[in-house]
Amino acid sequence: MKLDGKAAIITGATSGIGEASARLFAAEGCKVTIAGRGDLGETVASSIRDAGGVAQFVRTDVSETAQIQALIDAHMATYGSLDVLFNNASYEGPVTPVQDTPEEEFDKIIATNLKSVFTACKIAVPIMLKAGSGSIINTTAASAHEGLAWANLGAYIASKGGVISFTRALAVEVSPQGIRVNSLNPGLVETPLLHSFADKTPDPAAFWDAMRQMQLLKRISKPEEIARAALFLASDDGSFVTGTDMLVDGGLILG
């Protein structure tokens, strides 16, 4: 098993990419802490345990620094080590033009998508440095990649662009000490987050059709496909990969 004996924290793990990754990591021998705000977290953790895996749920709002600290403390109290930190939680915001985006929404987006990544890494890095190894994975977005941007997502795109740059900078700092730091860029994935975004558009059916046509593969990814890329970055399969923003986008950037 690719993560046998390892322990991981996955934020935003009550649905979508995070849930799929938690299930896959556990199936590969990893002890998983599932973090999220929703009530489904314990259901996900329980089903992983029923399947023979090791998992716990810690209710966490990653926009709150104290809750990130409590999450990592709870993880260490249960498992005693932190080998993988997967910062996957995201908030898309109101999907409005910049001039119509309330400042409090901008602050919430930045706190959830960017500041939380910085804070979790700040707390986790000393643990990994002490162990002499670790893998940090930060979820970004195709819309923040060079050469692609969408209207009405200015704050969201800014937050994810910040994650890409922060990931690269942190990799320079800690990779020489054995910690790999990468971001995972999933493009368009059929998740509750994307459904929420689609529902805010004037014509959701047209939105889904347009999204499929934008990609070279002419379809939208499943969360399990992105989870397999996360597993690569988390495991020894990705042992020589650090400081990169890994595109798993079905050709969206080129479409």
Side-chain angles (χ1 to χ4, degrees), residues 26-97:
E28 291 289 342
C30 191
K31 296 170 286 188
V32 179
T33 294
I34 293 166
R37 293 177 298 176
D39 295 331
L40 294 176
E42 185 51 51
T43 301
V44 175
S46 178
S47 66
I48 288 173
R49 294 192 295 268
D50 289 345
V54 179
Q56 69 172 353
F57 170 59
V58 178
R59 189 181 301 277
T60 309
D61 180 348
V62 297
S63 69
E64 300 290 339
T65 296
Q67 292 195 35
I68 296 175
Q69 182 69 66
L71 165 66
I72 295 176
D73 288 347
H75 173 89
M76 293 300 293
T78 300
Y79 301 131
S81 65
L82 178 57
D83 304 287
V84 180
L85 172 64
F86 187 4
N87 290 306
N88 174 69
S90 289
Y91 173 60
E92 82 279 7
V95 191
T96 54

Side-chain angles (χ1 to χ4, degrees), residues 25-252:
F25 283 23
E28 291 289 342
C30 191
K31 296 170 286 188
V32 179
T33 294
I34 293 166
R37 293 177 298 176
D39 295 331
L40 294 176
E42 185 51 51
T43 301
V44 175
S46 178
S47 66
I48 288 173
R49 294 192 295 268
D50 289 345
V54 179
Q56 69 172 353
F57 170 59
V58 178
R59 189 181 301 277
T60 309
D61 180 348
V62 297
S63 69
E64 300 290 339
T65 296
Q67 292 195 35
I68 296 175
Q69 182 69 66
L71 165 66
I72 295 176
D73 288 347
H75 173 89
M76 293 300 293
T78 300
Y79 301 131
S81 65
L82 178 57
D83 304 287
V84 180
L85 172 64
F86 187 4
N87 290 306
N88 174 69
S90 289
Y91 173 60
E92 82 279 7
V95 191
T96 54
V98 168
Q99 67 268 25
D100 298 327
T101 301
E103 184 177 351
E104 58 268 24
E105 280 293 332
F106 177 84
D107 291 342
K108 182 178 179 181
I109 291 166
I110 295 299
T112 303
N113 297 353
L114 179 56
K115 184 181 177 182
S116 70
V117 174
F118 175 88
T119 301
C121 290
K122 180 179 179 179
I123 298 169
V125 161
I127 297 170
M128 292 180 171
L129 286 174
K130 186 175 181 180
S133 64
S135 174
I136 296 173
I137 307 165
N138 302 320
T139 298
T140 58
S143 55
H145 199 276
E146 184 177 347
L148 182 65
W150 292 337
N152 302 329
L153 282 171
Y156 176 82
I157 291 172
S159 70
K160 292 299 186 176
V163 172
I164 294 172
S165 297
F166 171 71
T167 296
R168 187 167 61 245
L170 184 61
V172 172
E173 289 186 19
V174 301
S175 293
Q177 286 76 50
I179 303 172
R180 295 184 297 107
V181 189
N182 294 285
S183 51
L184 178 59
N185 196 320
L188 295 167
V189 188
E190 192 172 337
T191 64
L193 185 69
L194 187 58
H195 276 280
S196 174
F197 175 75
D199 290 343
K200 295 172 184 175
T201 64
D203 188 345
F207 169 84
W208 286 109
D209 184 62
M211 293 304 99
R212 285 189 287 269
Q213 293 306 312
M214 285 176 65
Q215 299 178 95
L216 296 183
L217 295 180
K218 303 304 178 185
R219 66 178 180 85
I220 294 174
S221 172
K222 298 295 184 182
E224 291 76 15
E225 294 176 294
I226 310 305
R228 288 194 286 273
L231 176 63
F232 171 81
L233 292 174
S235 71
D236 288 342
D237 286 349
S239 60
F240 203 60
V241 181
T242 195
T244 190
D245 183 44
M246 177 181 282
L247 279 169
V248 188
D249 71 337
L252 175 63

